[in-house]
Amino acid sequence: MRSAIIGLPSSGKSTVFTAATGLVPQPGHAPREQVGVVRVPEPRLKFLAELYQPKKVTEATIEFVDVPGFSLDDPHGQDEFRRHLPTIRQSELLVAVVRDFEDQTVPAYRDRVDAKADLSELWEEFLFADFDTVNTRVEKLEKALGKPSKTHDEEKKELALLLRCREGLENGQPLSAVLGGPDEARMVGSFGFLTEKPLVVVYNVAEDRAAEPAPPPPEHAVGAISLCAQTEAEIAQLEPDDRPAFLADLGLQAPACDRVVQTCFSALGLILFFTVGPNEVRAWPLAGGTPAVEAAGKIHTDLARGFIRAETVAYADLVETGDMRSAKSAGKVRQEGKTYVVQDGDVITIKFNV
Ligand SMILES: Nc1nc2c(ncn2[C@@H]2O[C@H](COP(=O)(O)OP(=O)(O)OP(=O)(O)O)[C@@H](O)[C@H]2O)c(=O)[nH]1
Ligand SMILES: [Mg+2]
């Protein structure tokens, strides 16, 4: 699961990246993309680890890419944006960092601090980038379909869908609103449309607003948080034991890192299921609504191929009964088939035969 941190120049993207990952971009280099992996904080793993005393505990992770800023009002900035588009398109989630702090020593994009205006400027650019991609493909398909040859059924279907996409974009509609259902989304999946991706907005605020509660997501976004990137980046680089005191000073219970990761995790529509055993206790991220056989495939393709059943117990039931044996005798361990929709917190053992 990859999230691209994007935004206008100097909005604080790299600082947010440091706050989220603890990694500091190498100074003295030309701006480049940087990747960092962050663990998804998950308190339920503690109980499971105590129960199984495994050799290894594996948390779910989210990857963040820090994308250099692009100024949208000059050709060089536009080129920069195009250069980074493939990375952005390959990400599952967009994290837009907007500047929301005053500081004379940090030059502001367009000499103003206006989060709302910056967001709509970014959004317009997303619409335009998708329009550009759709249009190029439409022209290509129309040319191909003009040639008399075989039936072109697939191309005709794609063209009809892309014409609807183009019309939607012309009317300012995001493609998430145009595409109806998984089949259509699959047909255009390889384009990585920006306005189809979930969007989380990070308001980079001044330190005196560091503990503000998360604002409601603005238009087109599925999640939002506010944080003071600079202070949080400093905290993220402290020894873990030293962090709580600094956070408490700011009035915060959890570092930005946790808040960012959790917001991204739910924006992606993900749930967690667990596998347990003496070797490893592990949390697996999964799209909500996924059937058990696909979940098994995430663990290993053999488990999907030879799937017999999923022995499943809800985390809460396991806690209540105390351990797997008691859960079984209490009738809390269910035998689920391939189509069972995995629920958040399910502890699953896949029975398989290959
Ligand atoms: N006062 C203040 N300054 C900040 C904050 N966050 C970032 N800055 C400063 O703003 C400047 C730009 O921050 P970066 O994180 O490099 O911004 P960026 O969005 O990655 O910039 P580009 O990649 O060049 O577009 C740096 O000098 C930071 O120290 C903040 O919360 N408060
Ligand atoms: Mg940067």
Side-chain angles (χ1 to χ4, degrees), residues 5 8-15 17 25 31-32 66-69:
I5 302 180
L8 298 172
S10 304
S11 61
K13 297 173 293 301
S14 300
T15 315
F17 175 82
R32 60 184 180 95
D66 176 28
V67 179

Side-chain angles (χ1 to χ4, degrees), residues 5-18 25 31 66-71 97 99 101-107 204-207 227-232:
I5 302 180
I6 51 171
L8 298 172
S10 304
S11 61
K13 297 173 293 301
S14 300
T15 315
V16 167
F17 175 82
T18 300
D66 176 28
V67 179
F70 33 82
S71 157
V97 177
R99 174 166 175 169
F101 64 89
E102 300 282 350
D103 184 339
Q104 303 295 342
T105 65
V106 181
N204 186 11
V205 299
E207 194 173 290
L227 56 83
C228 175
Q230 198 163 46
T231 311
E232 296 273 7

Side-chain angles (χ1 to χ4, degrees), residues 113-135:
V113 176
D114 186 341
K116 206 170 162 202
D118 288 354
L119 262 182
S120 55
E121 187 169 344
L122 265 183
W123 183 253
E124 286 303 315
E125 202 57 29
F126 295 168
L127 287 170
F128 184 76
D130 282 353
F131 178 86
D132 207 32
T133 307
V134 169
N135 207 32

